[in-house]
Amino acid sequence: MTNADIIDSLELTARLMELHNGDPFRTRAFSGAAFSLEKVTEDLTEQSVADLIKLPGIGKTVATKIREFVDTGHLTELDELLAQTPPGVLDMFRIKGLGVKKVKTLWHELGIETLRDLRQASETGRVAAIKGFGEKIQQNILDNLDFLESQSGKVRMDKADRLAVQLRDELAALGRVEVSGQVRRRSIEVDSVELLVESADPLAVQTYLNAQPGLTQDVPASSPFNWRGRAEGTDVQVTVITYPADQFDQQLFIRSATEKHLAETGPTGKTLLQSAMSASAGSTEETIYAQAGLPYVVAEMRENDQAFAWSQRHSPDELITWEDLRGTLHNHSTWSDGKHTLRQMADYARDLGLQYFGIADHSQTASYAGGLTPERVAQQQREIDAINAEYTAAGTDFRILKGIESDILGDGSLDYTDEVLASFDYVVASVHQTLNMTKEKATARLLRAIDNPYTSILGHPTGRLLLAREGYPLDFKTIIDACAANRVVIEINASPYRLDIDWRWIDYAMSRNVMLSINPDAHEMRGLLDMHYGIYAARKGGLTRSMTFNSLPVEAVINYLKRKIE
């Protein structure tokens, strides 16, 4: 159990209390506690009731409930509320723009208890007829239902990766086990976690899998060699396939590439699939490509339609790696909505072996996230100067760069005066509000921000949240061309919730000489490790180390930013 699990349970309890007209004071207590705990760094599972009461926003009642949840895995009050709530009503909370009051109205006034009912009521105009809804909200509901249905049965890259590694470790007793399929290709959204087991006894593998308490076979296997089911806590499909030793390596390659990639034909006249099928036992993947007369493509790029065209200009060893990173430029601290202090974040980055740490706390428009007023900007910058002086005195070359994540307002302007913007080493310009613009308006909005001489990096360009919220529509070529003209770096937001800009636009950005920065958008120390996911997505799109902004040493970064302003 994690702090996030506890916070989620408190938030859901508060939401359901409001839905069922519970005591408003009690509802606010649970909701406020969840909000306050977002910044707590201590492990809540290790805290006694007395310790929990000492935390901001936590009273005795909530502290007792937290201990109950930690000790039993259940919250009696939440279980009772869930029992009174149709599952489909809970699903409605996943629709962007539907808060508790609107969900309650849909449930009680229209009797809607499933997403199917909600779609039918929207398609027939019944939702628009309710006071406080209207045509716009009704259409938003339909659009979101379409999106949620398209994402059903999928998980994000990070969850799939953790599940695959967990299963690989649990199955290690069977012998050689390898992760294959979408997870090996580092797909950003995964609908099947696939592993291969090397064994001459597939029935023994099936028996072992069916004996695992966390796995459930949900459909009969199509053969003794193929097990399909689910892992506890997720509805993503798990597939485990058994191959004998003499087929294992070729099948690991085949099952880690898309059909289109395997159909590529080299000058030998062989497709990659034919080359793999004719490869001798133990053949390397490089050998399989060579036998087809094709350049080797790393696993991450085997769903990239431009992989072979990319290979005409680059070699795999040019791709960005974790070891190539020199710094990180989009991070938050307790100055805004982060969990750790500026010093803690910077020291953690230094301990990871980085040369520089860029702080980009929220700007003043983001009041909900503790955004910095100009006065607080000046205070933070004085703290940065003091910490940097300490680093210098200690004989280390590590330094903190002064940045900000400045909100792009509705008209495309940034939310500080030029005087304040000029005080930063760099500015990450990002959209956080008004995400429902047309393609034309959204593009024009970003173009104005990109034209601003103080914009250094375009942050998470589409605002998407994977599996939860579509990004707003943009004319990407126009945006990238504008970044090229204005020397603006484009962010690959490495949070596994975002991975934005999408990897499919990386090659075009590089062709326009636009650098990309793999930024974790970290709100706590361990969040810096999300750069691993950013690297996976970057490699999928073919990002080279030479075009990765934060692979540059600090002096080169500073010189680039200075020339941008000049």
XYZ file of all heavy atoms in Angstrom, residues 303-350:
403
model
N 7.637 -0.457 -34.000
C 6.281 -0.084 -34.396
C 6.285 1.311 -35.016
O 5.241 1.924 -35.188
C 5.320 -0.149 -33.211
C 5.628 0.760 -32.055
C 4.665 0.547 -30.879
O 4.420 -0.616 -30.505
O 4.168 1.547 -30.350
N 7.480 1.791 -35.345
C 7.652 3.087 -35.998
C 7.739 2.853 -37.501
O 8.694 2.240 -37.992
C 8.926 3.760 -35.473
C 9.123 5.157 -36.019
O 8.583 5.513 -37.069
N 9.905 5.965 -35.332
N 6.759 3.349 -38.254
C 6.718 3.122 -39.697
C 7.901 3.758 -40.421
O 8.189 3.410 -41.578
C 5.411 3.668 -40.279
C 4.194 2.872 -39.833
O 4.387 1.752 -39.321
O 3.065 3.373 -39.977
N 8.568 4.706 -39.768
C 9.698 5.386 -40.395
C 11.043 4.805 -39.960
O 12.092 5.399 -40.235
C 9.647 6.879 -40.040
C 8.367 7.587 -40.443
C 8.091 7.457 -41.926
O 8.976 7.679 -42.752
N 6.863 7.105 -42.262
N 11.027 3.653 -39.289
C 12.256 3.113 -38.713
C 13.332 2.860 -39.761
O 14.514 3.173 -39.545
C 11.947 1.827 -37.948
N 12.966 2.296 -40.901
C 13.983 1.976 -41.910
C 14.458 3.233 -42.635
O 15.643 3.348 -42.976
C 13.450 0.928 -42.881
C 13.283 -0.425 -42.249
C 12.020 -0.912 -41.949
C 14.380 -1.185 -41.903
C 11.859 -2.145 -41.345
C 14.233 -2.436 -41.295
C 12.968 -2.907 -41.008
N 13.569 4.194 -42.835
C 13.992 5.471 -43.410
C 14.936 6.178 -42.443
O 15.950 6.767 -42.858
C 12.775 6.344 -43.705
N 14.619 6.108 -41.147
C 15.489 6.694 -40.121
C 16.866 6.041 -40.168
O 17.899 6.717 -40.032
C 14.841 6.496 -38.755
C 15.582 7.062 -37.586
C 15.419 8.291 -37.020
C 16.594 6.407 -36.803
N 16.268 8.455 -35.944
C 17.003 7.310 -35.791
C 17.205 5.150 -36.870
C 17.980 6.992 -34.854
C 18.196 4.833 -35.929
C 18.558 5.744 -34.940
N 16.877 4.732 -40.382
C 18.132 3.980 -40.369
C 19.038 4.340 -41.539
O 20.241 4.036 -41.501
C 17.835 2.476 -40.388
O 17.133 2.087 -39.226
N 18.481 4.952 -42.576
C 19.323 5.411 -43.683
C 20.169 6.616 -43.273
O 21.192 6.901 -43.899
C 18.446 5.785 -44.892
C 17.585 4.662 -45.436
C 18.406 3.470 -45.882
O 19.428 3.608 -46.550
N 17.966 2.273 -45.497
N 19.736 7.342 -42.223
C 20.416 8.569 -41.801
C 21.153 8.416 -40.476
O 22.048 9.205 -40.166
C 19.398 9.713 -41.656
C 18.499 9.923 -42.849
C 17.631 11.166 -42.688
N 16.820 11.154 -41.483
C 15.621 10.585 -41.393
N 15.100 9.973 -42.455
N 14.934 10.631 -40.271
N 20.772 7.401 -39.694
C 21.323 7.267 -38.351
C 21.642 5.806 -38.049
O 21.191 4.896 -38.746
C 20.320 7.770 -37.304
C 19.851 9.174 -37.509
N 20.625 10.266 -37.222
C 18.667 9.665 -37.993
C 19.966 11.370 -37.515
N 18.772 11.040 -37.978
N 22.402 5.613 -36.988
C 22.665 4.263 -36.486
C 22.084 4.145 -35.085
O 21.930 5.151 -34.379
C 24.170 3.977 -36.452
O 24.816 4.847 -35.544
N 21.763 2.930 -34.645
C 21.131 2.761 -33.331
C 21.935 3.340 -32.177
O 21.356 3.780 -31.180
C 21.002 1.238 -33.211
C 20.928 0.750 -34.612
C 21.839 1.658 -35.387
N 23.275 3.355 -32.303
C 24.056 3.865 -31.186
C 23.973 5.379 -31.035
O 24.513 5.951 -30.081
C 25.516 3.416 -31.265
C 26.220 3.893 -32.525
O 25.637 4.712 -33.273
O 27.363 3.452 -32.764
N 23.281 6.072 -31.962
C 23.042 7.502 -31.818
C 21.829 7.802 -30.937
O 21.634 8.947 -30.499
C 22.807 8.152 -33.184
C 23.998 8.164 -34.114
C 23.652 8.799 -35.445
O 23.184 9.960 -35.441
O 23.801 8.128 -36.480
N 20.985 6.795 -30.676
C 19.775 7.020 -29.899
C 20.098 7.439 -28.471
O 21.073 6.977 -27.867
C 18.907 5.758 -29.878
C 18.225 5.390 -31.205
C 17.673 3.983 -31.128
C 17.133 6.393 -31.537
N 19.246 8.296 -27.916
C 19.432 8.796 -26.558
C 19.327 7.661 -25.550
O 18.511 6.742 -25.706
C 18.402 9.916 -26.253
C 18.672 10.577 -24.897
C 16.980 9.367 -26.332
C 19.935 11.378 -24.854
N 20.143 7.727 -24.503
C 20.084 6.761 -23.402
C 20.073 7.535 -22.079
O 20.365 8.741 -22.039
C 21.296 5.813 -23.399
O 22.485 6.568 -23.096
C 21.465 5.123 -24.746
N 19.775 6.839 -21.004
C 19.799 7.466 -19.676
C 21.186 8.037 -19.380
O 21.318 9.126 -18.822
C 19.406 6.437 -18.614
C 19.537 6.956 -17.213
C 20.637 6.875 -16.406
C 18.537 7.650 -16.456
N 20.386 7.459 -15.196
C 19.109 7.952 -15.194
C 17.223 8.048 -16.709
C 18.411 8.626 -14.198
C 16.525 8.724 -15.706
C 17.112 9.005 -14.484
N 22.219 7.308 -19.757
C 23.584 7.741 -19.466
C 23.952 9.036 -20.180
O 24.882 9.738 -19.772
C 24.579 6.641 -19.859
C 24.540 5.406 -18.969
C 23.301 4.549 -19.183
O 22.693 4.645 -20.281
O 22.930 3.801 -18.255
N 23.226 9.370 -21.247
C 23.525 10.589 -22.003
C 22.987 11.849 -21.335
O 23.419 12.962 -21.667
C 22.929 10.503 -23.415
C 23.557 9.402 -24.255
O 24.776 9.199 -24.124
O 22.832 8.758 -25.030
N 22.014 11.705 -20.428
C 21.378 12.878 -19.837
C 22.340 13.603 -18.902
O 23.020 12.984 -18.091
C 20.113 12.481 -19.087
C 18.999 11.841 -19.911
C 17.776 11.566 -19.032
C 18.610 12.709 -21.102
N 22.355 14.928 -19.016
C 23.224 15.750 -18.164
C 22.420 16.582 -17.155
O 22.980 17.059 -16.176
C 24.068 16.693 -19.039
C 25.027 15.971 -19.967
C 26.146 15.304 -19.183
N 27.012 14.526 -20.039
C 26.877 13.219 -20.277
N 25.906 12.546 -19.670
N 27.702 12.572 -21.066
N 21.141 16.765 -17.423
C 20.337 17.573 -16.520
C 18.861 17.354 -16.723
O 18.435 16.521 -17.536
N 18.072 18.098 -15.984
C 16.613 18.000 -16.048
C 16.036 19.399 -15.854
O 16.511 20.161 -15.004
C 16.087 17.024 -14.968
O 14.672 17.106 -14.906
C 16.671 17.321 -13.595
N 15.020 19.763 -16.622
C 14.631 21.169 -16.711
C 13.167 21.484 -16.378
O 12.780 22.645 -16.420
C 14.956 21.694 -18.120
C 16.450 21.796 -18.422
C 16.686 21.961 -19.914
C 17.080 22.939 -17.646
N 12.347 20.503 -16.080
C 10.952 20.791 -15.709
C 10.640 20.014 -14.444
O 10.330 18.822 -14.477
C 10.001 20.399 -16.845
C 8.561 20.711 -16.565
N 7.572 20.519 -17.504
C 7.927 21.198 -15.469
C 6.402 20.869 -16.989
N 6.598 21.276 -15.745
N 10.732 20.717 -13.316
C 10.536 20.088 -12.015
C 9.868 21.078 -11.067
O 9.955 22.291 -11.251
C 11.889 19.669 -11.427
C 12.680 18.796 -12.372
O 12.396 17.616 -12.526
N 13.690 19.374 -13.024
N 9.210 20.531 -10.042
C 8.481 21.347 -9.078
C 8.976 21.056 -7.667
O 9.533 19.989 -7.395
C 6.984 21.085 -9.188
C 6.427 21.400 -10.543
N 5.913 22.623 -10.866
C 6.332 20.638 -11.668
C 5.514 22.611 -12.133
N 5.754 21.414 -12.641
N 8.753 21.989 -6.779
C 9.177 21.851 -5.388
C 8.059 22.341 -4.473
O 6.972 22.696 -4.931
C 10.449 22.677 -5.148
O 10.132 24.073 -5.153
N 8.337 22.389 -3.187
C 7.343 22.878 -2.238
C 7.065 24.365 -2.412
O 6.139 24.900 -1.789
C 7.806 22.619 -0.788
O 9.150 23.111 -0.625
C 7.792 21.135 -0.467
N 7.822 25.028 -3.266
C 7.487 26.426 -3.583
C 6.134 26.504 -4.287
O 5.445 27.511 -4.195
C 8.579 27.048 -4.461
C 9.755 27.557 -3.707
C 10.934 26.895 -3.462
C 9.892 28.834 -3.083
N 11.779 27.674 -2.737
C 11.172 28.880 -2.484
C 9.060 29.949 -2.966
C 11.632 30.004 -1.785
C 9.519 31.056 -2.270
C 10.790 31.074 -1.690
N 5.758 25.436 -5.015
C 4.408 25.407 -5.598
C 3.727 24.124 -5.128
O 3.397 24.014 -3.948
C 4.448 25.542 -7.125
O 5.127 24.469 -7.753
N 3.534 23.135 -6.000
C 2.763 21.956 -5.592
C 3.602 20.697 -5.481
O 3.079 19.593 -5.540
C 1.592 21.728 -6.547
C 2.050 21.443 -7.978
O 3.230 21.711 -8.307
O 1.227 20.964 -8.780
N 4.917 20.852 -5.325
C 5.771 19.685 -5.162
C 5.785 19.166 -3.739
O 5.369 19.848 -2.799
N 6.305 17.945 -3.569
C 6.340 17.315 -2.245
C 7.655 17.553 -1.515
O 7.718 17.406 -0.292
C 6.121 15.800 -2.375
C 4.694 15.394 -2.687
C 4.540 13.888 -2.588
C 3.090 13.464 -2.783
N 2.927 12.002 -2.641
N 8.712 17.858 -2.261
C 10.021 18.017 -1.642
C 10.569 19.418 -1.875
O 10.192 20.100 -2.829
C 10.998 16.960 -2.180
C 10.673 15.571 -1.756
N 10.150 14.631 -2.621
C 10.757 14.958 -0.545
C 9.939 13.496 -1.966
N 10.303 13.678 -0.702
N 11.471 19.820 -0.998
C 12.024 21.165 -1.088
C 12.937 21.290 -2.288
O 13.370 20.288 -2.882
C 12.825 21.502 0.172
O 13.988 20.641 0.234
C 11.993 21.335 1.430
N 13.251 22.515 -2.625
C 14.162 22.792 -3.727
C 15.505 22.103 -3.500
O 16.051 21.466 -4.414
C 14.347 24.308 -3.855
C 15.334 24.832 -4.892
C 14.965 24.358 -6.276
C 15.372 26.359 -4.848
N 16.037 22.207 -2.294
C 17.330 21.576 -2.004
C 17.235 20.054 -2.125
O 18.140 19.411 -2.686
C 17.808 21.954 -0.610
C 19.171 21.340 -0.257
C 19.564 21.661 1.178
N 19.899 23.057 1.320
C 21.102 23.564 1.054
N 22.065 22.771 0.603
N 21.354 24.841 1.242
N 16.166 19.472 -1.597
C 16.017 18.016 -1.690
C 15.957 17.561 -3.146
O 16.588 16.567 -3.522
C 14.743 17.578 -0.954
C 14.827 17.633 0.559
C 13.496 17.313 1.216
O 12.446 17.814 0.801
N 13.517 16.489 2.255
N 15.201 18.274 -3.956
C 15.079 17.914 -5.374
C 16.430 18.032 -6.076
O 16.835 17.146 -6.843
C 14.036 18.806 -6.045
C 12.614 18.616 -5.551
S 11.878 17.026 -6.002
C 11.588 17.288 -7.763
N 17.120 19.130 -5.815
C 18.409 19.348 -6.475
C 19.445 18.315 -6.023
O 20.188 17.762 -6.848
C 18.898 20.763 -6.188
N 19.500 18.056 -4.727
C 20.464 17.067 -4.220
C 20.190 15.685 -4.804
O 21.125 14.925 -5.110
C 20.410 16.997 -2.691
C 21.108 18.171 -2.015
O 21.813 18.935 -2.712
O 20.939 18.338 -0.786
N 18.913 15.349 -4.961
C 18.566 14.044 -5.538
C 19.038 13.970 -6.988
O 19.578 12.944 -7.428
C 17.056 13.824 -5.453
C 16.613 12.412 -5.789
C 16.740 11.394 -4.854
C 16.075 12.108 -7.029
C 16.331 10.099 -5.147
C 15.670 10.812 -7.333
C 15.796 9.804 -6.390
O 15.405 8.528 -6.690
N 18.844 15.054 -7.734
C 19.314 15.094 -9.122
C 20.831 14.935 -9.175
O 21.368 14.207 -10.026
C 18.899 16.412 -9.782
N 21.515 15.592 -8.255
C 22.980 15.473 -8.201
C 23.384 14.039 -7.879
O 24.320 13.494 -8.487
C 23.530 16.432 -7.143
C 25.058 16.437 -7.025
C 25.505 17.267 -5.847
N 24.907 16.784 -4.598
C 25.113 17.341 -3.417
N 25.870 18.421 -3.307
N 24.546 16.841 -2.331
